[in-house]
Amino acid sequence: MAAPLLEDKLTCSICLGPYRDPVTLPCGHSFCARCIRDSWRCCDKTCPECREPFPAGTEPRRNVALNNVLEVLRGPRPAPDPEPRLADRALCPRHGRPLEFFCRTEGLCVCGACTVNDCRRHEVALLDVERRERENQLRARVEVTLQQITLAKTQLQELQQQNSLIKSSACTLASVVSSRFSSLLQALEKRQALTLRDIKAANKQALAQVLNEIQRLTSHLEALEQYDYKVRDLLEQVDDRTFFQELQQLSEPLESLGPLTPPQWDEDQQLRNLKELLSPLCDLLLEEEHVPRVAGSSTDPGPLESLSPLPPVPNTVCPLRKKLWQNYRNLTFDPDTANRYFYLSHQDLQVTHGFQPQGPARPGSFELWQVQCAQSFQTGRHYWEVRASDHSVTLGVTYPKLTRQKLGTHTDNIGRGPCSWGLCIQEDRVQAWHNGTVQRLPGVPGRLLGMDLNLASGCLTFYSLEPHTQPLYTFHAIFNQPLYPVFWLLEGRTLTLCHQPEAKLPPGPQEEVSVPS
């Protein structure tokens, strides 16, 4: 029983641990030298136990007797640690006690007194446990980064090889086409003269037929007009005797002229004849069996000379994109979250920002120019693609609590706070946003974009897929809530969610993770 009592007497009232280099104040109370100095830095010069104030310049004095007692109790002093303990180098600035806990709500290191007072309703973990967890996450990120570096180097080598092959193939094809066109032009000139001659002959024949019909129709029309004049004159005759005499002399009505003979002119037939003439000439250039080899002869062949084939151009589909497709998710827009100026179509796969509202705002819809997907992700790895009609769009992910209301002058809030991450694509620049911090990126991507979300390693990577697949930016974070894809777009813009026929179905709606109050 004496040992615990002696241990209580040799305990510092600030750090609640055994005295280390004890010192004494003028009031007689003793403390660790570092504890009392750290306490005086953030508080007034008073005794932590009796609250007796001390004038400026007062310094604690080393307690020789207490130091000797501690040396006897401790025995031989062990060799000093190469690195001081966390409690020796970090004390709470508010309470002067060692930092032994980590407040996940505020993201701060705290002491035991903080967990009782300021952080009593927060989510708290042991500092060393949280440190090990964060270190494991960082090591996982390092492994993923190394894999990405290896993959990127391999892809770079493949693209360089493809670049050389394409250049060589393009140069050879250009040389072949140039030589072929000289021959094709000669044949085309001959075919042009023949075609124009046929068109002229057909035109002359058709015009002659039309002229003949015009003359026949004109004669008939004149005869009809004379007969009509005689009949009208007879109807105006008053004398009955004269009427019947002239009626007997009136000839019979003219018979109908009958159907006109249509001219033999068919424009569509002339075009069909032209296509039939040109088709063999085009085949000389376009058909594979008529394209020469790279190592072919340098002499110019004749117009109808058969040619040998070129070697095929290698497939340029990026292996990285094929690998990303293994985790492809088919998504749909959530109509209940769409801004009232947004028009959803194609079974909620396409959204357009119109200039007229589509109706009153729905409960839960964005007052901002934004729309959210119906699907969310909390575990695993997921990839999706979207095509933009133009620039001035933002792609991102967000926790469920992203506000729907407009705050300030911004028309979007993706990446403006700690609960969302976004990539803003403008006409001449790209910006990565998170927690109100912006990272400007070089270059401007194509209109086809991809997003890869790896919740296991805490990575969110954006890709540009045109003209080839390349990563744009990667966010690193500890995602502890469900993530929803979210988008912002300017007036007149259109976004389309791309679907893969063989893609895995996205997981069902996730329940929102409750945060300790």
Side-chain angles (χ1 to χ4, degrees):
M1 183 172 179
L5 182 60
L6 179 61
E7 182 178 352
D8 293 341
K9 297 298 182 181
L10 299 178
T11 299
C12 174
S13 61
I14 296 178
C15 66
L16 303 180
Y19 284 121
R20 294 187 297 276
D21 193 13
V23 294
T24 303
L25 302 181
C27 62
H29 292 108
S30 298
F31 308 93
C32 297
R34 179 172 295 180
C35 294
I36 190 61
R37 289 191 178 93
D38 291 340
S39 177
W40 281 3
R41 287 194 195 101
C42 59
C43 305
D44 297 334
K45 276 198 172 185
T46 58
C47 177
E49 290 196 6
C50 64
R51 302 301 179 186
E52 179 179 344
F54 300 112
T58 303
E59 293 292 335
R61 294 191 176 183
R62 187 171 185 270
N63 191 325
V64 179
L66 195 54
N67 271 284
N68 293 335
V69 171
L70 291 172
E71 289 181 0
V72 171
L73 293 175
R74 292 172 181 167
R77 181 174 298 180
D81 295 335
E83 295 183 0
R85 293 180 301 171
L86 183 61
D88 294 338
R89 65 174 183 264
L91 297 178
C92 178
R94 287 180 286 187
H95 304 98
R97 295 187 177 184
L99 300 174
E100 300 174 343
F101 301 93
F102 182 79
C103 177
R104 292 176 175 173
T105 304
E106 295 185 358
L108 300 173
C109 298
V110 297
C111 66
C114 294
T115 61
V116 177
N117 298 319
D118 302 331
C119 303
R120 64 181 181 276
R121 295 183 180 275
H122 296 174
E123 184 180 359
V124 179
L126 291 174
L127 190 61
D128 56 346
V129 174
E130 186 70 17
R131 174 68 180 262
R132 287 194 297 271
E133 182 178 348
R134 298 295 179 94
E135 287 178 348
N136 292 336
Q137 292 177 354
L138 290 175
R139 291 188 183 96
R141 292 180 188 175
V142 170
E143 293 179 0
V144 173
T145 303
L146 292 176
Q147 294 175 1
Q148 292 178 348
I149 291 174
T150 303
L151 179 60
K153 289 181 178 179
T154 303
Q155 294 169 351
L156 181 60
Q157 293 177 355
E158 293 177 355
L159 288 175
Q160 289 174 345
Q161 294 176 358
Q162 294 172 2
N163 183 53
S164 301
L165 290 175
I166 292 173
K167 285 183 178 180
S168 175
S169 176
C171 291
T172 304
L173 184 60
S175 175
V176 170
V177 170
S178 298
S179 64
R180 285 295 156 211
F181 264 106
S182 62
S183 300
L184 287 172
L185 288 174
Q186 297 176 8
L188 284 172
E189 289 175 356
K190 294 180 180 179
R191 297 300 173 92
Q192 180 186 14
L194 292 174
T195 304
L196 292 177
R197 185 190 65 185
D198 294 341
I199 292 174
K200 186 176 179 180
N203 178 51
K204 184 177 179 180
Q205 180 181 359
L207 290 177
Q209 293 174 351
V210 171
L211 182 59
N212 184 41
E213 290 297 309
I214 290 175
Q215 292 175 352
R216 191 164 68 93
L217 188 59
T218 302
S219 301
H220 184 68
L221 182 59
E222 291 177 354
L224 288 174
E225 289 177 349
Q226 291 177 3
Y227 182 81
D228 180 69
Y229 175 75
K230 292 179 181 180
V231 171
R232 290 179 183 273
D233 186 57
L234 182 60
L235 292 173
E236 293 176 358
Q237 182 60 249
V238 178
D239 184 57
D240 294 338
R241 181 181 177 183
T242 305
F243 173 79
F244 284 106
Q245 288 178 354
E246 293 182 358
L247 179 61
Q248 292 177 359
Q249 297 176 2
L250 184 65
S251 62
E252 293 296 327
L254 295 176
E255 295 182 359
S256 175
L257 187 62
L260 298 177
T261 303
Q264 300 298 318
W265 173 258
D266 189 350
E267 180 179 348
D268 293 336
Q269 182 61 39
Q270 296 295 330
L271 292 176
R272 285 193 293 270
N273 294 338
L274 179 61
K275 291 180 181 178
E276 291 176 0
L277 291 172
L278 293 178
S279 180
L281 299 179
C282 294
D283 291 343
L284 291 177
L285 178 67
L286 300 180
E287 287 186 0
E288 182 180 359
E289 62 180 0
H290 292 153
V291 182
R293 301 174 185 266
V294 176
S297 174
S298 60
T299 59
D300 292 333
L304 303 178
E305 199 173 320
S306 61
L307 306 171
S308 52
L310 263 179
V313 178
N315 189 356
T316 58
V317 176
C318 182
L320 173 59
R321 191 177 180 191
K322 289 185 178 179
K323 185 176 181 181
L324 292 171
W325 282 349
Q326 297 175 2
N327 301 293
Y328 203 98
R329 301 289 181 263
N330 289 335
L331 306 180
T332 56
F333 292 115
D334 185 0
D336 293 332
T337 65
N339 179 273
R340 67 193 191 102
Y341 284 84
F342 284 6
Y343 173 75
L344 270 63
S345 60
H346 297 80
Q347 299 180 349
D348 297 336
L349 297 180
Q350 188 175 87
V351 59
T352 301
H353 188 166
F355 296 91
Q356 297 294 332
Q358 303 299 318
R362 302 183 183 89
S365 64
F366 281 100
E367 182 180 329
L368 301 145
W369 295 343
Q370 295 176 186
V371 64
Q372 195 169 281
C373 280
Q375 295 77 17
S376 64
F377 308 109
Q378 194 168 5
T379 59
R381 186 167 186 176
H382 315 277
Y383 174 77
W384 60 95
E385 294 178 357
V386 60
R387 179 174 291 278
S389 63
D390 206 345
H391 57 78
S392 300
V393 297
T394 299
L395 290 67
V397 296
T398 177
Y399 289 157
K401 61 183 179 181
L402 185 67
T403 180
R404 268 47 171 172
Q405 284 72 36
K406 183 178 180 180
L407 302 176
T409 59
H410 295 293
T411 58
D412 73 302
N413 61 358
I414 304 175
R416 306 289 181 178
C419 64
S420 59
W421 297 257
L423 189 77
C424 180
I425 300 171
Q426 299 296 333
E427 182 177 5
D428 56 348
R429 65 184 182 276
V430 181
Q431 298 175 337
W433 282 89
H434 175 61
N435 201 17
T437 303
V438 60
Q439 176 71 36
R440 300 184 183 275
L441 308 177
V444 179
R447 299 292 176 249
L448 184 60
L449 303 158
M451 299 175 63
D452 180 32
L453 176 61
N454 191 339
L455 292 164
S457 59
C459 297
L460 172 64
T461 304
F462 295 83
Y463 290 90
S464 173
L465 306 177
E466 290 180 345
H468 54 273
T469 303
Q470 61 175 346
L472 296 174
Y473 188 79
T474 300
F475 288 102
H476 298 280
I478 299 175
F479 302 115
N480 52 22
Q481 295 185 40
L483 288 172
Y484 289 82
V486 63
F487 307 90
W488 171 90
L489 56 157
L490 195 64
E491 296 104 320
R493 305 303 192 260
T494 297
L495 284 177
T496 304
L497 292 169
C498 303
H499 271 203
Q500 290 287 347
E502 300 178 358
K504 300 177 183 177
L505 292 175
Q510 303 278 359
E511 295 184 359
E512 185 172 346
V513 178
S514 59
V515 180
S517 57

